[in-house]
Amino acid sequence: MLWLHIGMPKTGTTALQGYLHAQPEFLDDHGIRYMVTGRDRGTGTARLICHNAMAIHMSRGWQTAPEGEAEAFAAEYAAHPAQHCILSSEMFFGRDLTPMQARFLSRVEGPVKVILYLRRFDDFIEADYKQRAKNALPTGGADGFVSQRLQQIESDPDYMDFGALFERVKTQVPGAEIHPRLYLRDEMVGQNVIPDILSAMGVPPEAVTLPRVAANRSLSRLASEALGLFDERGAGYDKKARRRLGRLLQQSEDPKLFASADVLLPEERAQINETLEARNAAMRKAYFPGREVLFPPRTDLPDHPPRGHPGELQEFQYAVRAILKLIRRAG
């Protein structure tokens, strides 16, 4: 049986993939195979934690794919006929999977199970902005980014319409079974994406020992924007160097650099959730019968000044100085 895990982004995908990559013996004991093909750069030995390379090769028309990869995939799958075999990349989310079906999935007997986690609409938009800001990608600033997203929600009926997405996947991967799950920690098995997804494959949650690494806290919006200043064009920091800076920020544990729910204003949050809940009502009834809404209203929103408050410039300058101090300490 083949499981195609496609994200969505910002749903603990990297932590899950790191676990799957690091625990081949545990997975084998529970009848699970994290496919090596697509993670091995064509060497036959797994070196990557995920199948992003497959998605990249697909976007390039397979011109850069290792020779014989499709045959290697079929052989690996055939060697583990009784196991749950997993491919995982959030880069598959929202993409046309027709080339993947033709090259790989058509070689699999039986249905492909497509599993993905759905994140709360407002949380996803906030996390998306912070990730883009940290990576020095064009955003138009928080005001511009949020305005663009609100316009997209109103003008594009397919935006974050998961029901429409599922129907496209079923067309692209004939016979696919869609298994959406909600990225709500209080409702996930073991309150974590790792035991939650493994439970879908028959692994009891008490058998899963989670890594002893605390989950990364969310950098504040202003700290994310400050980190994005250290880019390759203006400051000579490429992606890897900026990631190292990000890890240093995480290790600093400076409470002034961390915050959640600090991108959207209350009225923007309400508009986003109301519109997208309505857009996904039919999907909710089909895949989550009995739920009145996909995502219940937040009752744990932190109390902090709204976007654009008078002290924002000083907070941004503090974040920049904190990064500079970390750079000097690191030598």
Side-chain angles (χ1 to χ4, degrees), residues 73-304:
F73 169 83
E76 182 180 2
Y77 184 81
H80 301 85
Q83 292 188 299
H84 297 279
C85 297
I86 306 173
L87 295 175
S88 176
S89 172
E90 66 180 25
M91 293 178 70
F92 292 141
F93 182 80
R95 294 200 180 191
D96 182 0
L97 298 177
T98 304
M100 174 69 68
Q101 165 68 17
R103 189 174 180 88
F104 294 105
L105 307 184
S106 61
R107 298 171 180 266
V108 171
E109 294 185 4
V112 174
K113 294 180 180 288
V114 178
I115 190 166
L116 73 162
Y117 284 79
L118 307 179
R119 184 161 184 171
R120 189 187 299 271
F121 308 115
D122 52 335
D123 286 351
F124 174 76
I125 289 174
E126 291 197 311
D128 189 28
Y129 173 74
K130 288 184 178 181
Q131 189 67 34
R132 290 170 182 269
K134 287 190 295 186
N135 289 338
L137 296 174
T139 62
D143 288 346
F145 180 85
V146 172
S147 176
Q148 191 276 334
R149 284 293 182 270
L150 290 173
Q151 291 174 15
Q152 185 175 10
I153 288 171
E154 293 298 329
S155 64
D156 182 0
D158 282 341
Y159 179 69
M160 293 191 79
D161 181 341
F162 296 125
L165 170 66
F166 298 165
E167 291 306 311
R168 288 196 298 272
V169 171
K170 289 180 181 179
T171 300
Q172 296 159 8
V173 184
E177 297 178 4
I178 311 296
H179 294 263
R181 300 173 82 88
L182 300 178
Y183 190 69
L184 294 170
R185 291 190 181 277
D186 290 344
E187 299 186 23
M188 287 192 290
V189 174
Q191 289 73 57
N192 186 284
V193 68
I194 296 171
D196 191 78
I197 196 170
L198 292 179
S199 72
M201 301 170 195
V203 181
E206 61 271 16
V208 180
T209 301
L210 294 175
R212 294 189 177 184
V213 178
N216 287 343
R217 296 172 60 191
S218 175
L219 289 176
S220 71
R221 172 176 58 84
L222 296 174
S224 300
E225 292 170 350
L227 182 57
L229 291 179
F230 294 82
D231 63 357
E232 191 167 6
R233 293 162 297 178
Y237 283 79
D238 61 15
K239 185 183 297 185
K240 290 184 179 179
R242 195 164 52 253
R243 285 177 180 170
R244 288 194 291 270
L245 282 181
R247 287 194 290 268
L248 289 175
L249 282 176
Q250 285 285 341
Q251 295 166 7
S252 74
E253 299 185 355
D254 184 339
K256 294 182 179 181
L257 301 176
F258 299 91
S260 61
D262 59 340
V263 176
L264 297 169
L265 299 176
E267 59 271 21
E268 295 166 345
R269 188 180 305 279
Q271 179 181 349
I272 288 167
N273 289 333
E274 180 180 350
T275 304
L276 294 179
E277 279 285 353
R279 182 167 295 172
N280 284 279
M283 183 277 290
R284 169 176 51 79
K285 293 176 182 178
Y287 288 92
F288 300 96
R291 293 188 74 94
E292 295 184 0
V293 292
L294 283 173
F295 302 105
R298 289 279 297 269
T299 58
D300 60 343
L301 289 173
D303 184 18
H304 50 62

